[in-house]
Amino acid sequence: MLTMIFACDMNNAIGKNGDLPWRQPTDLKHFKQITLGGTIVMGRKTWESLPGKLPDREHLVMTRSNRDDVETITYEGVLELSKKREIFIIGGGEIYNLFLPHTQKIHRTIIHCKVEDADTFAPEINSEIFKVSDSNMVEKSARDEYDMTFELLERI
């Protein structure tokens, strides 16, 4: 099964200048809780934006170049692997768009802000294809910049 997970602003922005455009430790904890022990798939730019491998997760990177710092995988390889186990698609924008037609669940965090000059966006989610099955508004903690809403969307 393919599952996407991302945080976006009120306009679907997910990135700016190769980084997250906010500091939301509560959302990072949520991301960790969902993906821990799983397999995460990302594009090269997302891989390079990470501080290194995230603990207790299998990392697979989609890239056109050979890498010796992380295991790589093809689009077809991801689809094949998703028949055997849950795969978490964690970005970036191009990778989300590529796998949206095959995705069964989406963990979306809506960060209650609007990012100026964002350069990366999550795909538009069609409400005729996905329904919100769970939604939880969370006020920002002392370390977060913004309030947020955690949503689970499932393919109808």
Side-chain angles (χ1 to χ4, degrees), residues 2 4 41-43 60-64 72-83 87 89 94-103 155:
L2 281 180
M4 286 186 183
V41 170
M42 69 207 85
L60 300 172
V61 175
M62 292 182 61
T63 180
R64 293 177 189 91
T72 61
I73 192 165
T74 63
Y75 171 77
E76 294 79 12
V78 173
L79 293 179
E80 196 59 37
L81 198 56
S82 73
K83 294 176 184 175
I87 304 295
I89 305 297
E94 291 178 41
I95 304 299
Y96 289 129
N97 281 310
L98 193 60
F99 287 108
L100 184 62
H102 306 283
T103 297
R155 186 174 287 274

Side-chain angles (χ1 to χ4, degrees), residues 23-86:
R23 295 293 167 246
Q24 295 288 119
T26 300
D27 181 56
L28 295 176
K29 182 179 175 186
H30 177 73
F31 174 90
K32 180 179 179 180
Q33 176 186 351
I34 291 168
T35 62
L36 205 59
T39 301
I40 55 176
V41 170
M42 69 207 85
R44 176 191 55 83
K45 292 178 193 172
T46 299
W47 166 248
E48 290 175 352
S49 75
L50 295 178
K53 286 190 175 180
L54 304 175
D56 301 318
R57 281 156 274 206
E58 179 183 10
H59 295 67
L60 300 172
V61 175
M62 292 182 61
T63 180
R64 293 177 189 91
S65 58
N66 291 329
R67 301 199 65 112
D68 42 1
D69 58 339
V70 68
E71 188 176 345
T72 61
I73 192 165
T74 63
Y75 171 77
E76 294 79 12
V78 173
L79 293 179
E80 196 59 37
L81 198 56
S82 73
K83 294 176 184 175
K84 301 173 191 157
R85 62 180 186 234
E86 185 172 21

Side-chain angles (χ1 to χ4, degrees), residues 119-134:
D119 54 25
T120 310
F121 295 85
E124 292 293 328
I125 307 300
N126 185 335
S127 62
E128 294 179 13
I129 298 174
F130 289 92
K131 70 172 172 131
V132 176
S133 62
D134 191 34

Side-chain angles (χ1 to χ4, degrees), residues 128-147:
E128 294 179 13
I129 298 174
F130 289 92
K131 70 172 172 131
V132 176
S133 62
D134 191 34
S135 182
N136 182 25
M137 194 281 192
V138 177
E139 290 186 12
K140 66 180 181 173
S141 73
R143 296 177 56 218
D144 294 318
E145 289 183 85
Y146 306 102
D147 294 340

